[in-house]
Each structure stands twice: as C-alpha cells, then as structure tokens.
Amino acid sequence: MSIVAVTGGTGFLGRQLVAGLAEAGHRVRVLDRAAPLNGAPGVEYRVGDVTDPGSVRELLDGADAVLHSAFVSPHADRHAIDRVNVGGTHLLLRAAAYAGVRRFVLVSSTIVGRAVSPHRLLPGAPASRLAAYRWSRVRAELAVERAAGPMTTAIARPKTFVGPGQVGGYALVMAGVAASEPIAIFGPGTNRYQLVDVRDLADGLVRLVGSDATGVFGFGATEYGTVAEDLAALIQHAGSRSHVVSLPPAAGRAALASLRTLSLPPLGEWHECCSLGTDSVMDTGRAVTELGWTPTRSNATALCDAYDGMVESVGAGGSSTTHPVPATHRLARRLLNTGLARVASSRTASP
C-alpha cells in the first residue's frame, strides 16, 4: 500500500481525490491550509502551506507519490499567485526529490494554452491577475517538466470541472435558471464547450498518479452537445421556465472588452467562448488509451448534478434560489438575462 500525499485535499476536487485514492487502496496524507469539517476515515490530515518548508517535509516523509492540486486563483493578488503556484511547486519538487518520492503529478489548467493579455494600465486589475495566473501555471508546468532525477512526473490539464458541490463559471446561468429568467448567450450557441464532471476527473487523476506515464494529459467529457443544447438540457432538468436567447456576438465581444477596460472581473472562459462562437474542446486520447480512463458523465449530466447540489445547498427547492456570486456578476446577469434578453426574445435559440 503506497502513501500518496495530496495538496489542497480538502477542497472541491481534493475531497473527490481523497475518496478515490482511498478506494484504490492507497494511504492518503493531505496538506491544506485548514482542517476539514468532516474528514474522510483513515486519511491523515496536516494543516500547513505548500510554501512552508516544514509543512512540506512532514507531508512527504515516507510518501511514494505526490498529487499536487493546491493553487491560488486569479482572485488573489499577483504576489500570492506567484508565491503559491510557482514557489510552492518548486518547493514540493525539491523536497520530493530529496525525500525519494517516486511519482509527482501536477494538476494544472487549460489556461496555459490560452492567450491572456494583462490590463494596459492597471497591473493589479482582474485582467492582469488572470494573465499573471496563466504565467504562473506555465512556469509551474515547466518546473515539473524539468525535474531531474529518478522521479517520474506528469501534468494534468482538466477542462472546467463541475459537479455536486460546485457550479464553476455557470453560477450566473444556474441562478437565472433557478429564477426562470431568460438565459442570454452571445451568438447562436452552436459552438461546443467541453466540461468534465469532478468525479470523472478524480478517477482520471487517481489513475495517472498510480501509473508511470509522463507528459501532459487532458481530461474532459466525451459526451457534450452545443452550448444551446447543454443549456436546454439543464433547463429541462430543473423544470424551469427559462429559455435560451441569442444575442449578437459583436455585443458579447464589446461587453468582454468593456469589462477588461473598466477593470471588472471577467465573466469567464465560457462567456468568451460563446461570444466568439468558437469551440473549446480538449483531446483526451492519452488519458483514454494509456490510463484506461473512461468518463461516464456527459456535459449535461455534470451541469444537472451541479445544479441539484446548488439547490440543495441553499435549501430553496430549485424554483427561486439564487447562488452567491460577485456583485458585478449579479448585475451582469440582471442586464443580460432580463433587459437584453427580452429585447431580443424573437431570437430565441431552440435546440
């Protein structure tokens, strides 16, 4: 029975990872900044930080493998992003090599493949933090790829993951569906945006850390429809009176540009994908052929399960609940899903 050290093991993905590793027969040791409210039986939890050498040494003592899923999001300041995402990864790699760890897997992000430009004038703006976040992920990957010694390494790049417990960038949409509001999208919604259910992702990562495979692995659902089709499935599942309304793509591009210029938080990659009318799909071939990974849940299933989890968490029965999202995003939802949607109601996109 091997010991797998997991960073960020008490978060949304981390809880699924811990459960999957334990089910696969591994001993699991978790490092996170806070103790879990309800820890998994038999799991060793350590409170600490990936940037603290003492915490890292204790985590890796006797460990056979590391599954590094801890990170700081673009909502943090640039110093924290660099300190945790880059510095923490470097520290873990050095400590793992010194401790004789045989396997190291980094959970990265598909943002490394996107072009992200910082704000032209404000280095602390959300757009600039997003660019800093992307660069931190790129440098973390480079550190893993250049790791020397007998330790094998691999990098996971999952698509946006949702499921019971987290709605991700779909918070605006799901709040609108729960309130039976029109759901406005830019463009006809005929493009595809691939997701991955968090439970399927956890299964893939457990397989990856237990293998000797190296390089980059993509994880995404194999069943996904167009944006309009996936939204229609969610609306039907929720029993909502919402409908999808298509707005001019040019308006979406202008709205995203305005958010960047005004230094407001970007709505997310999903909104950008819709406004640009482009597909966002990842090749999962290596995970399927080399790891034997088979995702069992479609985009629609992941969205519907995430919606059910949201409804359950707020205890509103699924008809009038609202999900806690930033004030600027609530305003954007109100503008897009009511005013603009009603003006353009003749352009309803029916799948």
Side-chain angles (χ1 to χ4, degrees), residues 196-219:
V196 62
D197 187 281
V198 68
R199 294 159 291 188
D200 285 333
L201 173 58
D203 175 62
L205 293 174
V206 170
R207 292 171 182 268
L208 182 57
V209 79
S211 74
D212 291 321
T214 60
V216 178
F217 288 78
F219 293 93

Side-chain angles (χ1 to χ4, degrees), residues 87-326:
T89 301
H90 276 283
L91 177 59
L92 278 165
L93 284 167
R94 291 194 302 268
Y98 182 81
V101 173
R102 65 165 186 84
R103 182 73 168 150
F104 191 103
V105 173
L106 170 69
V107 182
S108 185
S109 170
T110 57
I111 197 172
V112 299
R114 290 173 56 198
V116 180
S117 300
H119 198 284
R120 294 179 180 178
L121 300 176
L122 303 174
S128 293
R129 294 201 301 270
L130 186 64
Y133 173 76
R134 176 191 175 276
W135 182 230
S136 75
R137 290 298 212 173
V138 170
R139 287 192 289 163
E141 287 197 6
L142 287 173
V144 171
E145 291 173 353
R146 294 169 179 172
M151 181 172 61
T152 62
T153 63
I155 296 167
R157 290 182 189 164
K159 288 293 295 178
T160 300
F161 51 91
V162 297
Q166 182 164 300
V167 297
Y170 284 80
L172 297 171
V173 170
M174 292 190 180
V177 169
S180 288
E181 297 175 351
I183 305 301
I185 61 174
F186 295 110
T190 54
N191 53 318
R192 302 171 299 162
Y193 186 81
Q194 182 187 28
L195 301 169
V196 62
D197 187 281
V198 68
R199 294 159 291 188
D200 285 333
L201 173 58
D203 175 62
L205 293 174
V206 170
R207 292 171 182 268
L208 182 57
V209 79
S211 74
D212 291 321
T214 60
V216 178
F217 288 78
F219 293 93
T222 55
E223 294 183 36
Y224 45 86
T226 65
V227 169
E229 289 168 347
D230 287 338
L231 289 178
L234 172 63
I235 292 169
Q236 181 178 17
H237 171 81
S240 171
R241 296 187 301 277
S242 296
H243 59 277
V244 179
V245 174
S246 175
L247 301 177
R253 290 191 287 270
L256 290 171
S258 297
L259 287 175
R260 287 190 289 267
T261 301
L262 296 173
S263 188
L264 294 176
L267 295 180
E269 181 186 358
W270 181 79
H271 302 86
E272 186 172 351
C273 176
C274 289
S275 67
L276 297 177
T278 55
D279 288 344
S280 180
V281 177
M282 166 163 284
D283 181 7
T284 61
R286 289 198 67 194
V288 172
T289 58
E290 297 181 37
L291 304 178
W293 180 65
T294 304
T296 61
R297 299 169 181 89
S298 66
N299 264 20
T301 299
L303 287 172
C304 292
D305 286 354
Y307 178 86
D308 290 343
M310 181 194 77
V311 170
E312 182 180 356
S313 69
V314 297
S319 59
S320 60
T321 183
T322 58
H323 188 74
V325 295

Side-chain angles (χ1 to χ4, degrees), residues 68-89:
H68 181 27
S69 66
F71 70 99
V72 166
S73 77
H75 296 292
D77 63 70
R78 298 179 66 174
H79 173 72
I81 290 171
D82 188 72
R83 180 177 62 86
V84 175
N85 295 355
V86 183
T89 301

